[in-house]
Amino acid sequence: QVQLVESGGGLVQAGGSLRLSCAASGRSRTVMGWFRQAPGKEREFVAAVSWSGGSTYYQDSVKGRFTISRDNAKNTVYLQMNSLKPEDTAVYYCAARYGTTIVAVTTVYDYWGQGTQVTVSS
């Protein structure tokens, strides 16, 4: 079993930065991903990183602005968010799935954190 706890959300001005953290406990040989859900919208993929940290994949809208990384020694995954836009406002969720393949589909992730709110003001 994998338990995930997100932190680092908050309120920032457009153009600002935040770093989200996801602390994991339990089995750690997983692909990790970040998803987000805005009011009235479906949960969508943001970014994912392989177990080794050597491979990453991003949603087009965040490429060049967000960076996902992981520190397996600390069992922690990060999402560095720069140049934030109001459109990035959402609850951000950390997720995990067993395996090595990065998958940008919500339904294949097995474990989820409780979410952390990110609000970007104009």
Side-chain angles (χ1 to χ4, degrees):
Q1 299 295 311
V2 178
Q3 296 180 344
L4 307 171
V5 180
E6 303 98 333
S7 62
L11 173 65
V12 297
Q13 293 289 124
S17 298
L18 283 174
R19 188 176 76 162
L20 305 183
S21 298
C22 175
S25 61
R27 186 172 175 179
S28 61
R29 292 177 62 90
T30 56
V31 171
M32 302 296 299
W34 286 96
F35 294 76
R36 65 187 181 187
Q37 187 166 18
K41 303 292 185 180
E42 296 296 319
R43 189 171 299 182
E44 66 176 357
F45 171 81
V46 176
V49 60
S50 63
W51 180 83
S52 69
S55 297
T56 58
Y57 187 75
Y58 299 90
Q59 181 196 106
D60 287 343
S61 67
V62 306
K63 287 181 179 178
R65 300 190 298 121
F66 291 10
T67 302
I68 187 171
S69 62
R70 68 192 300 168
D71 184 343
N72 287 339
K74 297 181 179 179
N75 296 124
T76 302
V77 179
Y78 306 96
L79 184 68
Q80 178 67 46
M81 305 185 294
N82 299 326
S83 301
L84 283 162
K85 305 174 181 179
E87 303 88 82
D88 295 317
T89 295
V91 176
Y92 283 70
Y93 297 90
C94 179
R97 66 179 297 271
Y98 295 121
T100 58
T101 302
I102 293 177
V103 181
V105 179
T106 303
T107 54
V108 303
Y109 284 79
D110 303 297
Y111 303 97
W112 296 85
Q114 297 301 308
T116 184
Q117 177 71 48
V118 171
T119 302
V120 184
S121 61
S122 300

